[in-house]
Amino acid sequence: MKEINTSVLVIDDEEMVRDNIEDILIPNNQSEDQEDIDNAFDILFGNVKPLLVTRTPCIPVFTVDKASNGMEGVKKVQKAIDNGTPYAVIFLDMRMPGWNGLETAVEIRKIDVKAEIIFITAYSDRSIDEIVEQAGQNVGYHCKPYAPEEIIQLATKAVTDYNKLRNLEKLIESISCIALSKNQLNSLLQNILEQLAYSLETNVALIGKLDKDLNYEKVLSIGALEEKVNIDELAARVKAADLKTDEVIQLEELVLARIDNYYVFALLEKQEKLKTEKMYLLKLFVQNAAQAIRNAELNEKLIQKEKLSAVGQVIGMVMHDLRTPIKNIKFITDMMREDGEESDLIDLIDQSAEQASGIFEDFLDFIKEIPVQKKPVDINKITAQVIEQNKGRDGGDNVVIKTNMPDNLFVPGDESKLRRVISNLVNNATDILHDHQVQNATITISAEIADRGLLMSISDNGPGIPQEILTTLFEPFVTKDKNNGTGLGLAIVKQYVHAHSGHISASNDNGAVFKINLSL
């Protein structure tokens, strides 16, 4: 904000009090009868310090409006809102004819939830709990008599808090309209989350996401969250809370806000109920952060689609040129057999040529997202084919591939695409083990039928998946620490698994672990 809001409203049935607060906040606004007013004020409220104090440059230049009762004050608040010039601070007397201070605050909150309300009263006939329960958390309380420095301090702090929150509010509202990449957006969200956490008086906060299967994924966090909180337990509390969308709640020290499947949780250091204003900002942040994340994801997907479209056109032309040479390979091997040459090597050449052709066809299917044609697939057979082919890969001879699966393991699916899934995962693991020169390099392939589904796991004893790409691993063109990687292999794997109504996940457990669940 270019100019801070220093507008103050004083609601009090005593004209002397209204004028006194105005004179404290605006020293040059004294009347000629100031001495008489000072004397009368001392008689009413006891000896106080001089009304005028030396102003310092850090004290804001206030503007002050006044109202003699609650109804008049609420009308002024409504008019200020309508004119786009809301009050930053409202000083409010408790005992007044008509609406008392608490009733007035309740009416004000119906039209303005952002103004800082400070009760100034000589009577403590209302408990703080009662005031908070009816007027909300965003209120202050100060007793008469007061010193001028106290009024200036209260007004200055309230104005400062109000404008900090308005600036943060405007920044939060702007993030959903900015076109940023995911990395740029994460940096911005991290900065705003830190400001919001400071406002909430905590140094531990987190943006998380729950998918339709209630799988939890961290988006970003601040503070040593993993050291202070069990993430699985935290995710369980979020699920158990069953928040409605657009809802913000506080559960003891935990504050939760939700929009769709995005959550923000803040772990408070003090188990105090948050002010309404701060709960509102938390909700606003989640709404705009979720929209900004979705926008960034859509933007990334659009860029990926454009890249894939261009790659698909190139592959189509390359496929047209390579189709004849690939077919000639089969023609040559047939001629070799006619000349009496028979060997496993010739069979392997035929198999490799068929797989090369299949890779091209599969990639074109990936670009076009063609539905799979399901037939019974022998998982043992295609796994054995992948293992045999892997021996000819760089480093393949130094990798031990162990299998743990029952005999006669058949599932309905597309044989070529399921082979491609296993092949991509095994090839990736082999490349990583070879590139990092892992001792006793081992890949383990396990499979079983459980709950009418195929559960398959492909793991290795390599360095694992880099943390920074773990959540985006299956997106096109994402690759790291892999020589000659295109970043398309795992995107193809994910699409093929999803085409079989399945789910794939990646994690680290003494190496990379990929788990596949195919519905039968």
Side-chain angles (χ1 to χ4, degrees):
M1 296 172 63
K2 293 181 180 179
E3 296 182 3
I4 67 170
N5 182 356
T6 59
S7 181
V8 177
L9 175 63
V10 182
I11 306 175
D12 198 299
D13 60 318
E14 292 287 344
E15 181 181 7
M16 195 179 307
V17 174
R18 298 195 302 270
D19 292 342
N20 174 248
I21 293 178
E22 180 182 25
D23 289 332
I24 291 172
L25 297 179
I26 310 176
N28 296 329
N29 196 40
Q30 299 178 78
S31 69
E32 295 179 357
D33 300 324
Q34 186 64 55
E35 186 177 350
D36 293 338
I37 293 175
D38 291 351
N39 293 332
F41 190 81
D42 289 345
I43 294 172
L44 284 172
F45 301 111
N47 293 324
V48 295
K49 296 179 181 179
L51 290 176
L52 302 181
V53 294
T54 302
R55 308 286 286 191
T56 62
C58 62
I59 296 176
V61 178
F62 298 100
T63 61
V64 179
D65 287 339
K66 297 174 288 187
S68 60
N69 56 66
M71 186 173 293
E72 181 188 356
V74 170
K75 288 180 179 179
K76 284 183 176 289
V77 171
Q78 182 66 68
K79 184 177 179 180
I81 292 288
D82 294 341
N83 292 337
T85 57
Y87 295 107
V89 187
I90 299 174
F91 286 105
L92 183 58
D93 188 23
M94 185 62 78
R95 285 190 177 184
M96 295 185 295
W99 290 342
N100 62 33
L102 192 51
E103 292 169 329
T104 302
V106 170
E107 294 300 317
I108 289 173
R109 283 299 178 228
K110 293 178 181 178
I111 54 180
D112 188 346
V113 298
K114 302 175 183 179
E116 301 283 332
I117 295 179
I118 301 173
F119 287 100
I120 301 290
T121 179
Y123 305 95
S124 56
D125 50 358
R126 299 278 187 168
S127 69
I128 298 296
D129 290 341
E130 185 180 2
I131 292 172
V132 167
E133 181 179 354
Q134 296 187 47
Q137 288 284 328
N138 197 25
V139 297
Y141 194 95
H142 194 79
C143 292
K144 299 175 182 175
Y146 51 77
E149 290 90 342
E150 292 174 325
I151 295 297
I152 291 176
Q153 184 182 33
L154 288 170
T156 300
K157 183 180 184 306
V159 161
T160 302
D161 290 346
Y162 177 90
N163 286 281
K164 279 184 179 179
L165 293 176
R166 298 289 73 73
N167 278 325
L168 183 55
E169 178 184 13
K170 286 182 179 294
L171 180 60
I172 290 172
E173 288 176 338
S174 70
I175 60 177
S176 63
C177 305
I178 304 175
L180 297 171
S181 70
K182 290 181 71 172
N183 288 338
Q184 292 170 327
L185 179 63
N186 282 347
S187 296
L188 178 60
L189 292 179
Q190 184 93 18
N191 181 283
I192 297 175
L193 185 60
E194 288 174 357
Q195 294 186 52
L196 186 59
Y198 177 79
S199 173
L200 299 179
E201 298 181 6
T202 181
N203 58 7
V204 177
L206 173 70
I207 299 179
K209 181 179 180 182
L210 292 176
D211 63 21
K212 61 182 179 180
D213 298 320
L214 295 181
N215 295 309
Y216 170 75
E217 174 187 326
K218 183 177 81 171
V219 178
L220 59 90
S221 67
I222 63 170
L225 191 75
E226 285 78 5
E227 297 177 8
K228 296 185 178 181
V229 181
N230 183 310
I231 297 296
D232 292 334
E233 181 181 335
L234 182 60
R237 290 183 68 181
V238 174
K239 295 173 188 176
D242 193 26
L243 268 71
K244 299 180 178 65
T245 193
D246 278 349
E247 188 176 8
V248 182
I249 64 171
Q250 183 173 351
L251 302 172
E252 299 175 346
E253 83 287 4
L254 186 65
V255 181
L256 303 175
R258 176 190 172 194
I259 178 69
D260 296 335
N261 58 338
Y262 288 94
Y263 294 78
V264 164
F265 354 121
L267 195 64
L268 302 182
E269 296 177 1
K270 306 173 185 175
Q271 292 190 28
E272 298 177 355
K273 194 169 179 62
L274 285 182
K275 290 185 177 181
T276 307
E277 170 76 354
K278 294 180 179 179
M279 298 286 273
Y280 155 76
L281 278 177
L282 187 61
K283 174 180 173 180
L284 185 69
F285 174 73
V286 178
Q287 289 174 331
N288 285 277
Q291 184 60 51
I293 292 170
R294 284 195 294 264
N295 290 346
E297 289 174 346
L298 290 173
N299 187 51
E300 294 276 341
K301 288 180 180 178
L302 179 61
I303 293 173
Q304 290 168 2
K305 284 281 187 183
E306 292 173 351
K307 287 182 180 179
L308 289 173
S309 177
V311 171
Q313 293 178 9
V314 173
I315 290 293
M317 292 185 288
V318 171
M319 184 64 190
H320 179 270
D321 293 336
L322 286 180
R323 185 173 283 122
T324 299
I326 290 174
K327 286 183 177 179
N328 286 342
I329 293 174
K330 184 67 169 66
F331 177 71
I332 293 170
T333 55
D334 286 343
M335 290 178 61
M336 293 172 68
R337 290 189 181 93
E338 289 177 2
D339 290 340
E341 295 187 30
E342 293 286 347
S343 71
D344 292 339
L345 182 60
I346 294 176
D347 294 338
L348 185 59
I349 292 172
D350 275 346
Q351 191 180 86
S352 297
E354 290 176 7
Q355 289 176 350
S357 179
I359 288 171
F360 277 109
E361 296 294 346
D362 287 347
F363 187 81
L364 291 175
D365 289 351
F366 169 73
I367 297 294
K368 300 174 184 177
E369 298 185 10
I370 295 176
V372 299
Q373 301 297 321
K374 292 185 177 182
K375 296 179 182 179
V377 178
D378 186 343
I379 298 298
N380 299 90
K381 185 187 82 171
I382 63 174
T383 300
Q385 291 172 346
V386 168
I387 294 173
E388 184 64 27
Q389 185 191 18
N390 192 69
K391 292 178 181 178
R393 196 173 188 85
D394 285 346
D397 290 338
N398 298 322
V399 176
V400 175
I401 301 181
K402 299 179 179 179
T403 59
N404 180 20
M405 58 180 70
D407 296 331
N408 300 317
L409 186 57
F410 285 83
V411 299
D414 186 305
E415 181 175 309
S416 173
K417 289 178 172 52
L418 289 179
R419 184 191 298 111
R420 180 74 168 150
V421 167
I422 299 171
S423 176
N424 268 13
L425 295 176
V426 170
N427 290 348
N428 281 352
T430 300
D431 291 345
I432 290 295
L433 294 170
H434 176 63
D435 292 343
H436 288 266
Q437 300 181 351
V438 176
Q439 299 297 315
N440 301 317
T442 304
I443 298 173
T444 303
I445 305 174
S446 303
E448 63 176 337
I449 299 295
D451 298 328
R452 294 185 55 78
L454 171 69
L455 299 181
M456 194 167 194
S457 170
I458 299 177
S459 60
D460 63 62
N461 63 339
I465 303 164
Q467 192 66 35
E468 61 267 30
I469 65 169
L470 191 57
T471 59
T472 59
L473 193 62
F474 295 103
E475 295 180 6
F477 308 110
V478 173
T479 184
K480 185 178 176 63
D481 296 337
K482 185 173 182 292
N483 295 330
N484 303 317
T486 64
L488 288 173
L490 290 179
I492 294 174
V493 167
K494 179 182 177 181
Q495 187 189 95
Y496 287 175
V497 170
H498 284 188
H500 285 80
S501 302
H503 175 75
I504 183 168
S505 62
S507 61
N508 289 317
D509 185 6
N510 297 318
V513 180
F514 290 86
K515 293 183 179 180
I516 300 169
N517 186 351
L518 298 183
S519 300
L520 300 183

